[in-house]
Amino acid sequence: MDPRRQPTIRVGTASWTDPTLLKETDWYPKRSMSAEARLRFYASIFTVVEVDATYYHPPTEELAALWVDRTPQDFRFDIKAYSLLTQHPTQPKSLWDDVAEQVPDEHAGAKAVYLSHLPDQAVDEAFERFRIALMPLHSAGKLGAVFFQFPQWFTARRDNRAYLQSLAERLADYQIAVEFRHGSWMDADTAPRTLQLLESAGLAYVSVDEPQGFKSSVPPVVAATADLAVLRMHGHNRENWQRKGITAAERFRYLYSDKELQSWAPKVRELAGGSRETHVLFNNCYRDYGVRNARQLGELLDDGLQDRPAE
């Protein structure tokens, strides 16, 4: 690969710190590695990573600056949007102090806070705090996308379409990518309208590979609606897809076969042909399944990995 050329395809995983990867495998050279050493090792192999922790707790500028310092220049972070901003239930203790103070009395003391509970001023402040925290990554050229993964109850309604359009204005500096968890957005009748909406707003559609046959299932439609295209590989663990009371590792416990990855390689190339850059993230976060499959796909594509992966 010409070192002067930015790769058009990047392959990585949905985290580099999954508990079962750290505790139950020898993928990292040492079990006792520091957070800095683990990230540096990961970034010596892959060219992109998804940050999942920002869904549970909003990031800080200081942490974003550390991520910049610990990775090569040609590396990207895809950041999951804070749960409050994706309309998921949010732990009150994770809110910024001054935003928490604006929670109305009728919702004070609740186990979870929703975006709809907050006054407009608090919503504006939450988006602005999140935007500022990611600026070190953006300024360094290392911010890939901000992932808005919406809940199952975020269906294809007029008010939700309006919310999608508002995101491009609130986070105008950043590339936003949208993943749906309800089939109403991408059924045969609504898919063209959904993709057109995203394209007109400059939002990247997140293509997915996941179990089918559930209300939350989105078909594996491969589409690019922005300069950045994204594909997230969730695996096919139907038994655990909607099972309650289990860990993420159990829900996404699925190892792609060589045959499956070979079938996806031409689809990834097709996706890359319609975008400036394509990110493929493996979310089968059980033990070393994700890193194994990500490296396999990168080798099949002969693209997406670092030029000299660590052994």
Side-chain angles (χ1 to χ4, degrees), residues 189-201:
D189 294 329
T190 59
R193 181 181 181 184
T194 296
L195 296 176
Q196 177 58 41
L197 169 67
L198 296 178
E199 184 173 2
S200 64

Side-chain angles (χ1 to χ4, degrees), residues 174-283:
Y174 307 147
Q175 176 64 68
I176 295 170
V178 175
E179 179 176 348
F180 299 111
R181 284 291 174 90
H182 194 277
S184 62
W185 291 96
M186 291 299 293
D187 62 31
D189 294 329
T190 59
R193 181 181 181 184
T194 296
L195 296 176
Q196 177 58 41
L197 169 67
L198 296 178
E199 184 173 2
S200 64
L203 307 178
Y205 173 67
V206 176
S207 304
V208 293
D209 183 47
E210 63 189 25
Q212 298 297 299
F214 302 93
K215 288 185 178 180
S216 63
S217 299
V218 174
V221 174
V222 175
T225 58
D227 287 342
L228 175 69
V230 181
L231 170 63
R232 296 184 81 222
M233 307 290 281
H234 296 302
H236 298 155
N237 191 335
R238 286 183 53 83
E239 180 181 354
N240 288 348
W241 183 242
Q242 292 191 323
R243 187 177 173 186
K244 297 181 179 180
I246 61 173
T247 64
E250 288 297 328
R251 188 177 314 283
F252 299 106
R253 181 177 179 174
Y254 185 84
L255 184 66
Y256 283 91
S257 67
D258 291 343
K259 184 177 181 180
E260 287 175 305
L261 295 176
Q262 288 166 2
S263 71
W264 270 103
K267 299 175 186 177
V268 172
R269 293 191 184 97
E270 176 187 350
L271 191 60
S275 58
R276 176 180 54 79
E277 186 165 299
T278 299
H279 293 185
V280 183
L281 285 308
F282 281 82
N283 191 38

Side-chain angles (χ1 to χ4, degrees), residues 10 62 111 114 161 204 222 283 294 310:
R10 297 179 184 274
E62 293 77 14
K111 292 182 178 180
Y114 289 83
R161 292 189 179 95
V222 175
N283 191 38

Side-chain angles (χ1 to χ4, degrees), residues 28-255:
Y28 283 107
K30 295 187 296 184
R31 294 280 180 95
S32 60
M33 294 174 74
S34 66
E36 176 179 356
R38 279 197 297 267
L39 179 54
R40 288 189 183 278
F41 178 80
Y42 175 95
S44 72
I45 298 173
F46 300 108
T47 54
V48 65
V49 74
E50 178 183 318
V51 181
D52 181 64
T54 49
Y55 169 81
Y56 301 98
H57 294 276
T60 64
E61 289 181 85
E62 293 77 14
L63 183 56
L66 288 176
W67 291 337
V68 169
D69 292 341
R70 294 171 177 178
T71 50
Q73 181 58 46
D74 185 29
F75 189 84
R76 300 293 181 270
F77 290 87
D78 289 335
I79 306 294
K80 286 190 79 171
Y82 181 36
S83 59
L84 183 74
L85 309 183
T86 58
Q87 303 188 20
H88 283 87
T90 299
Q91 292 292 320
K93 63 182 180 181
S94 72
L95 294 170
W96 300 272
D97 289 342
D98 55 342
V99 172
E101 292 173 357
Q102 298 181 61
V103 175
D105 291 342
E106 61 264 33
H107 300 297
K111 292 182 178 180
V113 174
Y114 289 83
L115 192 70
S116 60
H117 293 169
L118 298 178
D120 291 345
Q121 180 179 345
V123 172
D124 292 342
E125 290 180 11
F127 269 98
E128 182 63 8
R129 295 289 182 83
F130 188 79
R131 186 193 69 81
I132 291 173
L134 299 183
M135 191 52 69
L137 285 170
H138 176 70
S139 298
K142 293 188 177 185
L143 180 61
V146 180
F147 283 177
F148 276 75
Q149 180 184 299
F150 287 100
Q152 294 183 31
W153 54 87
F154 190 85
T155 57
R157 303 194 316 255
R158 178 180 299 178
D159 58 334
N160 289 336
R161 292 189 179 95
Y163 187 73
L164 290 175
Q165 291 174 314
S166 74
L167 296 178
E169 299 174 3
R170 289 186 178 277
L171 298 174
D173 296 324
Y174 307 147
Q175 176 64 68
I176 295 170
V178 175
E179 179 176 348
F180 299 111
R181 284 291 174 90
H182 194 277
S184 62
W185 291 96
M186 291 299 293
D187 62 31
D189 294 329
T190 59
R193 181 181 181 184
T194 296
L195 296 176
Q196 177 58 41
L197 169 67
L198 296 178
E199 184 173 2
S200 64
L203 307 178
Y205 173 67
V206 176
S207 304
V208 293
D209 183 47
E210 63 189 25
Q212 298 297 299
F214 302 93
K215 288 185 178 180
S216 63
S217 299
V218 174
V221 174
V222 175
T225 58
D227 287 342
L228 175 69
V230 181
L231 170 63
R232 296 184 81 222
M233 307 290 281
H234 296 302
H236 298 155
N237 191 335
R238 286 183 53 83
E239 180 181 354
N240 288 348
W241 183 242
Q242 292 191 323
R243 187 177 173 186
K244 297 181 179 180
I246 61 173
T247 64
E250 288 297 328
R251 188 177 314 283
F252 299 106
R253 181 177 179 174
Y254 185 84
L255 184 66

